[in-house]
């Protein structure tokens, strides 16, 4: 699907993130499972992403998480 743009405040600054609906749904599920706000999870990924773009860092994190779940690693 087409990316959906959302605006959030992360570490005190406003930013817009474009992700496909499936990634937004996965982020919502992750936040719900961990009992934390989605913005808090995104802020952690933002801090750890290095040179990668934030949207890419989120996609990779969710992909790696799904892969670990499916392989049991």
């Amino acid at each position: 699907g087409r990316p959906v743009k959302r605006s959030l405040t992360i570490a005190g600054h406003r930013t817009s993130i474009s992700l496909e609906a499936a990634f937004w749904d996965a982020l919502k599920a992750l936040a719900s499972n961990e009992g934390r706000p989605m913005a808090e999870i995104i802020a952690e990924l933002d801090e750890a992403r290095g040179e990668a773009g934030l949207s890419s860092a989120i996609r990779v994190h969710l992909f790696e998480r799904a892969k670990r779940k499916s392989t049991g690693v």
Side-chain angles (χ1 to χ4, degrees):
R2 179 174 259 185
V4 177
K5 190 178 229 176
R6 296 199 181 162
S7 294
L8 304 150
T9 299
I10 299 171
H13 65 272
R14 293 291 285 171
T15 189
S16 292
I17 302 170
S18 293
L19 292 170
E20 293 74 13
F23 289 105
W24 285 119
D25 291 345
L27 264 176
K28 257 186 255 174
L30 175 59
S32 177
N33 289 343
E34 293 190 0
R36 301 193 297 153
M38 195 165 53
E40 184 178 301
I41 293 167
I42 293 171
E44 284 177 8
L45 294 172
D46 187 36
E47 281 180 31
R49 69 189 165 97
E51 294 297 310
L54 182 54
S55 294
S56 295
I58 292 168
R59 286 185 190 94
V60 169
H61 176 78
L62 293 171
F63 175 79
E64 293 290 343
R65 187 178 161 76
K67 198 166 79 171
R68 280 196 307 272
K69 256 187 172 170
S70 71
T71 59
V73 175

